[in-house]
Every structure is written in structure tokens, then in C-alpha cells.
Amino acid sequence: MARSGNNIRKYRRPINLNIGMIIFAVIFIYVVICIFMYFSTKHVVGYEVREGSLSSDNIYKGIALREEKVITSTNAGYTNYYAREGERIAVGNLIYTIDETGRLSDYIKTSETGENSLSDKELAELKTEIESFANGFGRTSFSDIYNFKYNLQGTVIKLANYNVLENVNALNDASNTTLIGRYYANESGIVIYSTDGYENLTLQDMNMDYFNQENYTKNHLLSNELVAMGDPVYKLSTNEDWSIVIPVERELAERLLEKEYVEVKFLKNQYTSWGLVDVFTNEAGDTFVSLTFTNSMITFCTERFIDIELLLENEKGLKIPNSAIVTKEFFVIPKDYITQGSNSGSYGVLLETYGEEGTTTQFVETTIYEETDEEYYVDDSTLRVGNYLIKPDSTEKYPISRIGSLQGVYNINKGYADFKQIIILYDNDEYSIVKSNTTYGLNEYDYIVLDASTVGDNDFIYE
């Protein structure tokens, strides 16, 4: 008997769903939905309002202006100084000598002074000058080392010159002529052995080029240097009153001018003093503030550029980030048109409405956000421009038309975005200090929206 053809069919195993696979699929779908909702939903971050202050950077490099007289030489020769730089000298004090032949200079160079030629007083003078430089030195002002070098060199030579001063008469007697002339102060003041071209500078001469230290040149006047007739030999500061000029923004200049006097810290020695404020704006629009002092001139008499800090009073109040601040518009309504509802006791207006029954008056509750002596700033969510308001106990009408804007933040204490008006006292690039405990404003420990752009009026806040 013949066998029938092969009829083989592939066996398909039935799908075997178990509870584990179902749970995994549900969890996977749930995670995908959560991720989608996270990236598609606005994220609201809260910020707790706390009291604080702003400390702005008020450090400036100023130019010192003094009453300075440059004294020039009446003869040619080698100069030798006998008054210490920065020392107050009186009329008739010996300042320098002019050696017309150079014989005194040769004597100074060849004389053997010995290791202990300086007295304890003279060594103390050198020590004081070195310590003063070390305390005020900053790595960013490396060029100050060269000024210190010249100052120290001048002090050492001056001290050494005292030891050979007694030989001046002997040298003059030996030549039977006055080859070495002595020169005395004609008026009292602080002696300085340098010039820089800023001696006659005033506030009204100021421009930003003067503050470019790369173009600044200080000419040191040293002992044993050859000078010609008419060359500068020393400089005299004759008045204790002096000033420091700094470039500032116009807004800050006006604030300082209102204060009249400002406390200033000198960064070199951390001393403080009060300066009288004066303001000048040049033709280029640059604004400069002059701070005039009646003391401390002798401390900084050899310096033209001085680092100072303005010790301004920091405004204190509620500290909030600028990202939380928003500007919102409101209707401005006369106070006479605001009344209280008979049942709820809340504030609102009497709105004139039109319907099938004719003209009627309806009480509409409104939220007040700010007030002046005669007006309220009210919410515009239920009112419209052109609506007529009825004055209580009167037939007078007021058409809504005026709109005003207020700065504020969104308070979220109640779970929704509630606008609160703020009064900014002071601000910088990141934070503002606002007035606390105002009638319609914020209080300490309130929660506000960190980024005002993430919410709208009365949006509910989901944690």
C-alpha cells in the first residue's frame, strides 16, 4: 500500500505571558510617561525670602592732587640732598647743595664710612621706610619696587651726606671760592624728590588718559646727579589739604554728592578718613569724583596713584534674586470708588452692567496691590477698559482707562502664584534689596518663585 505524501506543519508554541512581564511593561510605560511629563512641564523653584544686604565692590585707583611747587636749580652742578623725602621742612632749613666742580661728589664716592657709620636713629629711619614698603606691597603693583629702590637710595645718600657736610667749608676754603653752594627752603612744606607732570593738575582737567599708568612717567631726583640751570631739584607740597580723584558712573557720583562726605579706606595702611565730595563731568561724558581730605597728606605725599575703598552704607532689607522680579500692569482707580462688600467685607468696586433688564450695578471683588494718597492699584482680571464704576452713595461714574505698572514677585505661600508689589532700595547684577513689612509687599520667610518667567498670575504650584 503506497504511503501518502509528507504533510509536516511547523509547531507554534503559544505565547506565554506571565505576571512578571506585565509588571515590567507597566513600569516601563509609566517611566516613559514621567520622563515626558518632566520635560514638558514648567518647573517652579521656590525661594525663601530672608533679610540681607548688598556689599558692592567699591575699590578704586585714584589720582592724588596736591598743592605742589617744583623748585628749579639756579646753578649747574652736582646735587646733594640733606632733607629726607616726605619730611616736613621749615623756612630756612637746608635742602640741598650744588657742587659746581664735582669735588664733593668725588669725596663722597671715595670716603670710607665704615660699617657702623650710621647712628641708631638713622638706622631706625631706614627700618621704618623698609617696613612701610613691605606692609603696603602687592604683587600686582610690582613697579612699586622701583619707586622704593629710588626712595631708599635717596635716604641712604642723604644720611651719608650728613657725614661729609662738614667738609663743604673745607673744600670751599681750599679753592678760595664758593664752589659748593647751600640752598635753603624759602617756605615750609613737605619735600619730595620726584616730578611727573601732574603737579598742576586739577579736577576740571581730568580725562581717562591720566589714569593709564602705562603712559605715566615719574622722574626721580637723586643725589650726586648732574643738573643744569633751570632743572627741577625738588618739589614742595605746601598745603595739608589734598584730594583723590576717581572715575565713577554718573549714578554713583550723584549718590556720593548727596552724602556730601564719604568715608574712605586707604588700602596701603588700612587707615580711614572722611572726604568732601565734588563731581565733575568732562566733555567726553566721563564722570570723576574728587574726595578732599584735611589730613594724611604727608603719608602719601610721594605717591600719585592711590588705592582706596569707599565705605558706603550697605542698604538692608529683604534680599531677593533679580530673576524673581516681574513687572505687571494694573488699573488705577480713585479711592472714592473702592468699597467693601456687605457680606464678605472684602474690597471691590460697583460695576455698571447692561442686560435684558436694563442697567444694573454689580459689586465686583478686586484685589488691591498698592495705594497712593488718592488712588489704588487693582487687579485687571475682572475689569476692562471702558467699564464704568459707580461711586458709592452717589450717581457719579468713573470710566476705567488709566493703567499703571508695578514691580513685584510671585508669592507662593498659599500654593498659587500671588503677585506682591516690592520697593527696591538697592540692587546689583544678581540681587535686589527690597523694603520689608510694606502693606502690600513681602515679609521675611515668605516663599516666592525663583524665576518669574516660569509662572503666570494665579497659577497653582505643584510640589
Side-chain angles (χ1 to χ4, degrees):
M1 184 175 179
R3 300 180 62 181
S4 59
N6 293 335
N7 187 11
I8 301 174
R9 297 181 178 179
K10 186 178 180 180
Y11 175 75
R12 295 184 178 180
R13 301 179 60 182
I15 298 175
N16 185 16
L17 296 177
N18 57 49
I19 190 65
M21 293 180 61
I22 295 174
I23 293 175
F24 176 79
V26 171
I27 293 175
F28 177 77
I29 294 173
Y30 174 76
V31 171
V32 172
I33 294 174
C34 288
I35 293 175
F36 175 79
M37 292 180 63
Y38 177 82
F39 286 103
S40 62
T41 304
K42 293 187 297 184
H43 301 284
V44 178
V45 179
Y47 176 86
E48 185 180 20
V49 178
R50 300 296 296 271
E51 189 179 56
S53 63
L54 296 181
S55 54
S56 54
D57 184 7
N58 293 316
I59 296 178
Y60 298 89
K61 183 177 292 292
I63 293 178
L65 302 183
R66 297 173 283 263
E67 291 188 13
E68 299 170 320
K69 294 183 179 180
V70 177
I71 311 301
T72 59
S73 175
T74 57
N75 289 297
Y78 293 89
T79 58
N80 290 283
Y81 296 110
Y82 301 92
R84 181 176 60 85
E85 186 173 40
E87 179 182 1
R88 183 182 299 278
I89 53 97
V91 176
N93 284 164
L94 176 64
I95 305 298
Y96 69 101
T97 61
I98 290 289
D99 176 13
E100 297 182 13
T101 63
R103 295 176 63 187
L104 180 59
S105 177
D106 293 338
Y107 176 82
I108 292 174
K109 293 178 181 179
T110 57
S111 61
E112 295 182 359
T113 57
E115 293 183 0
N116 299 316
S117 60
L118 297 180
S119 66
D120 292 340
K121 181 180 179 181
E122 292 169 337
L123 290 172
E125 183 177 333
L126 287 175
K127 181 180 178 181
T128 300
E129 188 164 346
I130 294 172
E131 289 179 346
S132 177
F133 167 76
N135 293 334
F137 175 69
R139 295 183 182 274
T140 57
S141 302
F142 189 79
S143 60
D144 290 346
I145 292 179
Y146 296 99
N147 294 333
F148 169 69
K149 169 190 173 183
Y150 291 124
N151 294 338
L152 191 63
Q153 181 179 349
T155 301
V156 171
I157 293 177
K158 185 266 297 185
L159 295 176
N161 285 350
Y162 274 120
N163 295 329
V164 297
L165 184 60
E166 59 186 23
N167 295 284
V168 170
N169 292 333
L171 292 173
N172 282 336
D173 293 340
S175 61
N176 295 321
T177 58
T178 307
L179 299 178
I180 301 175
R182 301 188 185 196
Y183 296 87
Y184 303 88
N186 293 324
E187 56 183 314
S188 61
I190 310 300
V191 65
I192 302 167
Y193 298 124
S194 64
T195 60
D196 57 8
Y198 284 42
E199 285 78 14
N200 298 317
L201 195 63
T202 65
L203 176 61
Q204 286 69 31
D205 299 325
M206 279 296 163
N207 61 65
M208 293 304 299
D209 292 338
Y210 288 113
F211 290 85
N212 186 357
Q213 290 185 260
E214 293 182 359
N215 299 329
Y216 175 77
T217 301
K218 188 174 185 179
N219 179 32
H220 294 273
L221 307 174
L222 304 176
S223 282
N224 299 329
E225 291 287 332
L226 180 63
V227 298
M229 183 182 301
D231 285 350
V233 284
Y234 71 95
K235 185 167 61 179
L236 202 62
S237 292
T238 58
N239 196 329
E240 185 66 22
D241 293 346
W242 65 299
S243 60
I244 295 177
V245 178
I246 57 175
V248 299
E249 298 293 334
R250 182 65 189 177
E251 181 181 354
L252 177 58
E254 293 175 354
R255 287 180 54 206
L256 298 179
L257 195 60
E258 290 178 0
K259 292 177 177 292
E260 189 176 1
Y261 285 89
V262 174
E263 189 175 12
V264 174
K265 177 191 289 185
F266 299 99
L267 300 187
K268 176 181 178 179
N269 53 16
Q270 301 298 305
Y271 289 169
T272 61
S273 184
W274 288 87
L276 176 64
V277 177
D278 193 11
V279 174
F280 170 73
T281 301
N282 62 18
E283 295 180 355
D286 301 320
T287 300
F288 303 92
V289 167
S290 170
L291 303 167
T292 301
F293 308 93
T294 59
N295 53 36
S296 305
M297 188 275 287
I298 191 172
T299 305
F300 304 96
C301 64
T302 61
E303 301 179 38
R304 186 63 69 186
F305 294 92
I306 301 175
D307 294 321
I308 64 171
E309 179 182 2
L310 304 183
L311 302 180
L312 303 178
E313 294 181 2
N314 293 326
E315 298 283 2
K316 293 184 178 181
L318 301 179
K319 186 175 182 179
I320 62 173
N322 292 337
S323 60
I325 299 175
V326 65
T327 300
K328 190 175 182 297
E329 292 185 341
F330 299 89
F331 288 127
V332 182
I333 306 297
K335 284 187 174 181
D336 294 340
Y337 287 83
I338 301 294
T339 185
Q340 286 183 290
S342 58
N343 296 327
S344 63
S346 58
Y347 287 94
V349 295
L350 299 178
L351 178 65
E352 185 180 69
T353 60
Y354 305 93
E356 296 179 356
E357 299 178 358
T359 303
T360 59
T361 301
Q362 177 186 0
F363 176 79
V364 177
E365 184 177 337
T366 59
T367 303
I368 298 174
Y369 290 91
E370 176 61 329
E371 66 176 291
T372 63
D373 293 337
E374 299 180 352
E375 298 170 323
Y376 285 116
Y377 286 73
V378 300
D379 189 12
D380 62 353
S381 59
T382 57
L383 302 177
R384 297 293 181 267
V385 174
N387 288 160
Y388 280 90
L389 305 181
I390 307 299
K391 188 176 182 179
D393 302 324
S394 174
T395 59
E396 294 183 28
K397 298 181 181 181
Y398 175 79
I400 298 177
S401 58
R402 290 190 57 202
I403 296 177
S405 59
L406 297 174
Q407 281 189 314
V409 296
Y410 286 114
N411 185 301
I412 56 176
N413 289 350
K414 299 177 181 179
Y416 62 91
D418 183 19
F419 182 88
K420 293 292 183 181
Q421 186 257 358
I422 60 173
I423 300 175
I424 297 178
L425 301 176
Y426 188 68
D427 62 359
N428 59 21
D429 293 338
E430 296 182 359
Y431 290 92
S432 293
I433 299 298
V434 304
K435 193 173 182 179
S436 61
N437 299 322
T438 57
T439 304
Y440 304 100
L442 294 173
N443 296 307
E444 191 173 11
Y445 304 113
D446 281 348
Y447 277 89
I448 63 175
V449 177
L450 178 62
D451 186 356
S453 64
T454 60
V455 298
D457 294 329
N458 299 317
D459 281 356
F460 286 98
I461 308 301
Y462 299 97
E463 298 293 339

